[in-house]
Amino acid sequence: MTKTVLITGAGSGFGRGVAFGLARQGHKVIAGCHIWPQVTELRAAAKTEGVELEVIKLDVLDEFDRNNAFARQIDVLFNNAGLMESGPVVELPIEIVRRVFETNVFAALQMAQGFARQMVKRGSGRIVWTSSVAGLVKVPWDGAYAASKHAVEGFCSAMRDELEPYGVQVATVNPGAYRTGFNDTGMEAQDQWWDQGERVVKHWPVRELTRQSDPQEMIDAIIEVILADAPPYRTVRPASAEQMVKDEQTEIWERKA
């Protein structure tokens, strides 16, 4: 059965890959992009590849953009737009923390709330959130992002039980480290503010991200969650990350302060 899927953060990374993957299978995809240049570029890319996409500007922080999106009837929301800003917690400017939470938590929640209302009235629908492995384990030097994804996990688990009686499904996808560029720029973002104040702890250890996986693995898993009749509530990839999460969640009961 053909589905109508709206994707936030479709201008790059997992959102873009999922948009093209679903469209190639014949599904109706509404690809939301953060800024107008991404809209123009994605439309041109779709035309070049012979793929039918409805591409819209959707800055999830913009009320007008959100309301424009809410006017559409969809089967699945892929709640994917996100922001990563790194740095040791003791040094993180509060403005940075607020910015991360505004995008990853509050705006994502507003998107989920808006579409959940139409889904509840209809008695069907699915909301798939991009969480992260960082929402399930400790992530030193990336506390703001990890905390935002822990918050996402809290909202998702609550929504899952609250919406199930109304025929609306909620699921999370939890990527580990993949070569989308997201992790690289998230680390680099720290350099924008690091020298603008006195620091008492060290900068994130300088290291190249060399252990990232091919994002196609995660894209394929997300598409499966979007389309499956009864997808799992949580999907962690790669398999090594799934095992690491399980091991750490077991170990934390024995951890000392």
Side-chain angles (χ1 to χ4, degrees):
M1 179 189 299
T2 300
K3 293 185 182 292
T4 299
V5 182
L6 187 141
I7 301 171
T8 68
S12 62
F14 298 130
R16 183 187 183 100
V18 171
F20 276 95
L22 288 171
R24 291 189 189 103
Q25 295 185 38
H27 298 281
K28 177 175 174 53
V29 178
I30 304 164
C33 295
H34 182 209
I35 55 176
W36 284 112
Q38 287 181 325
V39 172
T40 302
E41 189 279 329
L42 191 58
R43 286 173 178 168
K47 184 175 181 180
T48 297
E49 296 196 24
V51 171
E52 186 173 344
L53 289 178
E54 179 183 355
V55 185
I56 63 172
K57 178 180 177 292
L58 179 50
D59 177 351
V60 294
L61 296 172
D62 188 299
E63 181 181 7
F64 299 113
D65 286 3
R66 290 195 305 268
N67 288 338
N68 179 53
F70 292 151
R72 292 160 170 79
Q73 292 290 317
I74 66 172
D75 299 303
V76 181
L77 168 65
F78 179 31
N79 213 6
N80 170 69
L83 173 68
M84 178 179 171
E85 296 262 9
S86 299
V89 171
V90 72
E91 302 288 8
L92 277 168
I94 293 301
E95 312 91 89
I96 296 292
V97 179
R98 287 196 180 101
R99 186 159 69 197
V100 171
F101 270 71
E102 284 292 343
T103 297
N104 294 359
V105 183
F106 302 128
L109 178 59
Q110 286 179 292
M111 293 300 301
Q113 287 176 327
F115 281 111
R117 287 187 171 93
Q118 68 164 246
M119 292 175 181
V120 166
K121 291 177 181 177
R122 189 176 65 236
S124 66
R126 182 175 299 168
I127 301 171
V128 179
W129 294 62
T130 297
S131 179
S132 173
V133 167
L136 302 171
V137 297
K138 67 180 186 293
V139 189
W141 288 282
D142 205 6
Y145 179 73
S148 75
K149 293 303 185 179
H150 275 72
V152 164
E153 289 289 330
F155 279 123
C156 287
S157 62
M159 288 187 74
R160 186 263 177 201
D161 284 10
E162 292 165 356
L163 295 180
E164 184 181 27
Y166 300 95
V168 180
Q169 298 174 327
V170 176
T172 72
V173 291
N174 298 66
Y178 285 95
R179 292 190 302 271
T180 64
F182 183 80
N183 300 303
D184 307 78
T185 55
M187 289 178 62
E188 184 180 348
Q190 179 182 346
D191 298 332
Q192 297 290 98
W193 53 264
W194 185 259
D195 292 329
Q196 297 182 35
E198 180 186 2
R199 305 298 167 207
V200 298
V201 300
K202 292 182 179 180
H203 188 284
W204 191 328
V206 178
R207 60 187 175 85
E208 190 176 353
L209 294 177
T210 58
R211 298 176 63 185
Q212 300 186 89
S213 302
D214 182 349
Q216 191 61 49
E217 175 188 39
M218 192 74 232
I219 290 166
D220 292 342
I222 294 168
I223 290 173
E224 186 174 344
V225 171
I226 288 172
L227 298 179
D229 290 335
Y233 169 72
R234 173 177 293 153
T235 298
V236 179
R237 296 287 188 280
S240 58
E242 180 177 358
Q243 188 58 51
M244 181 266 291
V245 168
K246 292 176 179 178
D247 291 345
E248 182 168 318
Q249 290 182 346
T250 299
E251 179 270 337
I252 200 168
W253 290 98
E254 305 297 328
R255 189 182 299 167
K256 304 298 182 185

